[in-house]
């Protein structure tokens, strides 16, 4: 090096720039928002190397910004919460609130829309029963993921593996909402049924309920559920609630798919029951 020349240290190529990683993650997230679903397509759309795309998508998924469904990646619960907060009058939010209202009307019990939030389930919408004795869940209320029907459904859609280590004791059990231990194997079986049937129930000492997933392009948005006090339980009511919950969420998912494809009508008044037409 010549005398008087200044040496400038160059960053080592083996250490990726944090800023570059953020930019790449945002490009991937933008591509997901534009409807790109598979890992390979996302890699090309965002111009991100394959291994890097997988690593960043895994990080985005773990933080709730994307979700993996049968058709690939879609917006995750963190994005959904941001969207609903910024667009409270959006057609998507109106459809969800309409579904909550219909569940409440058809069952006569408290209906809820729940999403995953930082390892918990959070209530974003409530339709309360008029009965004096009822299951009270406030908007913004947060509850453990491994308790309740809505928790089971959220676990079933990609959160079970991440959650199990933190709730499993040395005997292979976990604590239920009523305070008693239950085998983790039973929770895993519940999650498998939830994925298979599209609806799942939870019956405890204090309350019981059913839940079904709200999906967009196969990716989970949140969960619709009905919750009732234990003394109003019967096998017949459980069967009826399962049927109603599955019916409402199936039609909600159909409408969300139509909205995503540009076929949904934004003129449906808030609170009206959903129609399949």
């Amino acid at each position: 090096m010549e005398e008087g020349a200044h040496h400038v240290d160059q960053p080592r190529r083996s250490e990726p720039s944090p800023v570059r990683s953020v930019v790449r993650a945002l490009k991937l997230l933008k591509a997901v928002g534009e409807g790109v679903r598979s890992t390979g397509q996302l890699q090309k759309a965002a111009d991100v190397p394959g291994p890097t795309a997988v690593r960043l998508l895994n990080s985005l998924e773990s933080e709730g910004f994307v979700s993996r469904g049968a058709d690939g990646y879609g917006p995750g619960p963190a994005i959904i919460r941001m969207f609903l907060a910024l667009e409270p009058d959006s057609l998507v939010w109106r459809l969800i609130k309409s579904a909550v209202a219909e569940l409440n009307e058809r069952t006569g019990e408290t209906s809820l829309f729940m999403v995953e939030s930082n390892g918990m389930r959070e209530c974003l919408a409530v339709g309360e029963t008029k009965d004096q004795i009822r299951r009270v869940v406030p908007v913004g209320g947060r509850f453990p993921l491994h308790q309740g029907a809505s928790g089971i459904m959220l676990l079933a859609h990609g959160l079970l593996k991440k959650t199990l280590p933190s709730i499993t004791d040395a005997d292979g059990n976990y604590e239920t909402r009523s305070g008693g231990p239950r085998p983790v194997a039973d929770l895993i079986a519940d999650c498998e049924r939830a994925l298979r049937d599209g609806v799942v129930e939870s019956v405890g000492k204090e309350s019981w309920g059913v839940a079904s997933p709200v999906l967009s392009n196969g990716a989970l948005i949140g969960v619709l559920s009905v919750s009732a006090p234990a003394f109003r339980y019967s096998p017949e009511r459980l069967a009826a609630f399962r049927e109603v919950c599955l019916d409402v969420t199936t039609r909600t998912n159909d409408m969300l798919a139509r909205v995503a494809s540009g076929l949904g009508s934004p003129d449906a008044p808030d609170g009206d029951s959903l129609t399949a037409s």
Side-chain angles (χ1 to χ4, degrees), residues 24-244:
R24 285 174 165 175
L26 290 174
K27 285 183 177 180
L28 288 167
L29 195 57
K30 181 181 178 182
V32 169
E34 292 172 346
V36 184
R37 293 290 173 254
S38 73
T39 303
Q41 291 172 337
L42 286 167
Q43 172 192 340
K44 293 178 181 178
D47 192 23
V48 177
T52 301
V54 171
R55 175 176 59 81
L56 291 175
L57 286 168
N58 286 339
S59 296
L60 289 170
E61 183 180 13
S62 68
E63 295 300 324
F65 287 100
V66 299
S67 293
R68 265 187 293 188
D71 298 327
Y73 288 93
I79 292 295
I80 299 299
R81 286 197 304 275
M82 291 170 61
F83 170 75
L84 297 179
L86 294 171
E87 296 287 345
D89 295 323
S90 68
L91 179 55
V92 171
W93 190 217
R94 289 163 61 192
L95 285 171
I96 291 171
K97 290 193 294 182
S98 178
V100 171
E102 185 179 349
L103 274 177
N104 172 239
E105 180 181 353
R106 290 177 62 180
T107 63
E109 298 288 357
T110 299
S111 58
L112 311 162
F113 177 68
M114 309 286 283
V115 299
E116 187 273 339
S117 174
N118 296 322
M120 301 282 283
R121 53 192 171 105
E122 179 179 346
C123 178
L124 295 190
V126 178
E128 284 197 354
T129 178
K130 295 180 176 61
D131 287 310
Q132 286 188 328
I133 301 178
R134 60 187 185 272
R135 174 90 167 121
V136 177
V137 180
V139 172
R142 290 163 57 83
F143 308 91
L145 272 177
H146 59 284
Q147 298 173 358
S150 60
I152 293 171
M153 191 60 74
L154 288 167
L155 288 177
H157 284 263
L159 296 171
L160 181 61
K161 184 177 180 180
K162 179 180 178 181
T163 304
L164 280 181
S166 64
I167 66 172
T168 306
D169 64 21
D171 297 321
N173 298 322
Y174 73 101
E175 289 297 317
T176 62
R177 185 162 54 199
S178 59
R182 183 173 184 248
V184 165
D186 291 350
L187 178 62
I188 295 173
D190 287 342
C191 291
E192 291 172 348
R193 287 192 300 109
L195 287 177
R196 182 191 69 223
D197 300 341
V199 61
V200 72
E201 76 285 343
S202 175
V203 181
K205 292 182 179 180
E206 297 180 357
S207 63
W208 61 282
V210 299
S212 289
V214 178
L215 306 170
S216 178
N217 292 316
L220 185 74
I221 291 179
V223 174
L224 286 170
S225 68
V226 182
S227 184
F231 74 90
R232 285 204 287 270
Y233 169 82
S234 72
E236 294 76 19
R237 293 196 86 201
L238 175 61
F241 281 20
R242 281 174 60 96
E243 183 177 345
V244 170

